[in-house]
Amino acid sequence: MNVYEIGSLSEKLAYNTYPGRGIVLGITPDGTKSVAAYFIMGRSVNSRNRVFVSEPDGIRTEAHDPSLMKDPHLIIYHPVREAGCGLIVTNGDQTDTIWQYLARGESWEAALRTRMFEDDGPNWTPRISGLLADNGSYKMSILKAADPEGSACARFFWEYPATPGLGHFLHTYVCDGNPVIPTFQGEPERVAIMDDMDAFTQMLWDNLNPDNKISLFVRYTDLATGTYTQKILNKHK
C-alpha cells in the first residue's frame, strides 16, 4: 500500500453517486497558484433548489425558485468567505463563525470547537471546513457524530504545506445510503491538481453525478500577486 499515492479526482467522483458536499484545496503542478473548489449535491427537492451566487468576499447559496423553498435551515449559507489574505471554505454557516474568530485574532480551531455536526439525525451530516492561506498552505477539518445517537461530537484537524500538484479532498459522505448515509472516514484524500482552471472545473463538473449535482465553485489564486480567477457552475442556470 502506497500511503503517498495521489489519486484521481475524476475517478473518485465518477464512481460515487453521492459524496454529498466536497472541498478540494491544493496547489497547481507549476507551483504558482493555490486552488480551492467546493461543490454541493442534493437528493431532496429543497436541497436541489439552490444555486451559488457571487458575493464581494466570496459566494453564498440561494433558492433557485423561492416559492419552492421550505426550510432554509442548513442549506442557505456562505460557503466561501475571504478572511484577510486567506480563504475560508465550508459546507455550512460555520464559515461565519470561523470568519468572526479570525477577525478578532483567534484560531480557526477555537472557532470550530464551538460548533458541532448538523442536527439532521439520523445522518448527522458532518461539518467540513477548509482554510487556505496566502502562501498556499491550508488546513482542513471535519466535525462529526461520535455515536449513532449524535450525543457527542468528534473533531478532527489537519494542516498541509503547499506542495505543487497535490491537493486534498474532504467530503461529507462515503457514498449514498438508505436510510442512513455513511459519513466520511479517515484523512482527507490525496488528489491531483491541474494547472488549467477551465479543465479542472470541467473535470469536476462532468464527473459529479448528473442527478444529484447542484453547484460548483472553483478559484485559482496567483501566489505571487494574490490575484484570482474563479468560476461558478449551477445546474439551474
Side-chain angles (χ1 to χ4, degrees):
M1 178 181 180
N2 179 9
V3 298
Y4 298 110
E5 181 180 359
I6 300 178
S8 164
L9 253 177
S10 61
E11 291 180 3
K12 292 180 183 296
L13 294 174
Y15 297 107
N16 190 345
T17 59
Y18 202 65
R21 286 164 275 174
I23 298 171
V24 181
L25 299 178
I27 302 296
T28 55
D30 63 11
T32 65
K33 298 179 180 66
S34 65
V35 175
Y38 177 64
F39 66 79
I40 57 174
M41 306 180 80
R43 303 190 303 176
S44 69
V45 173
N46 202 39
S47 291
R48 290 177 174 179
N49 181 37
R50 290 185 289 172
V51 292
F52 285 166
V53 295
S54 294
E55 287 282 295
D57 66 345
I59 63 170
R60 61 181 170 85
T61 62
E62 71 173 26
H64 168 64
D65 182 348
S67 69
L68 297 178
M69 178 61 66
K70 294 182 178 179
D71 180 10
H73 179 53
L74 300 178
I75 65 172
I76 300 300
Y77 56 92
H78 288 76
V80 178
R81 288 193 70 180
E82 295 170 3
C85 296
L87 191 70
I88 306 166
V89 185
T90 90
N91 72 326
D93 63 12
Q94 72 268 29
T95 303
D96 297 331
T97 306
I98 295 169
W99 188 92
Q100 290 162 4
Y101 270 67
L102 296 178
R104 59 180 185 245
E106 299 185 61
S107 70
W108 97 307
E109 292 88 351
L112 289 170
R113 289 189 180 105
T114 70
R115 302 304 304 267
M116 296 179 66
F117 47 86
E118 296 182 357
D119 56 346
D120 62 343
N123 289 319
W124 309 122
T125 300
R127 289 190 184 273
I128 57 173
S129 306
L131 181 62
L132 181 60
D134 59 354
N135 65 0
S137 64
Y138 50 95
K139 300 179 180 182
M140 304 187 92
S141 171
I142 187 169
L143 315 179
K144 59 184 183 177
D147 55 47
E149 295 73 34
S151 65
C153 182
R155 296 177 175 86
F156 301 86
F157 301 92
W158 298 274
E159 297 185 24
Y160 298 103
T163 304
L166 177 64
H168 286 83
F169 177 34
L170 181 61
H171 43 105
T172 52
Y173 304 123
V174 174
C175 58
D176 206 346
N178 187 18
V180 178
I181 313 174
T183 60
F184 183 88
Q185 300 293 309
E187 297 181 19
E189 301 166 352
R190 294 164 59 90
V191 294
I193 302 296
M194 302 164 65
D195 282 324
D196 188 318
M197 187 188 77
D198 290 337
F200 185 71
T201 303
Q202 200 62 50
M203 176 273 293
L204 289 171
W205 189 247
D206 288 347
N207 285 285
L208 289 169
N209 180 267
D211 293 327
N212 296 323
K213 68 182 178 183
I214 301 171
S215 298
L216 169 67
F217 164 87
V218 177
R219 178 184 287 198
Y220 274 48
T221 304
D222 188 291
L223 294 175
T225 65
T227 58
Y228 64 83
T229 304
Q230 67 181 36
K231 296 191 74 172
I232 293 174
L233 297 180
N234 289 307
K235 189 172 184 178
H236 298 295
K237 296 183 180 179

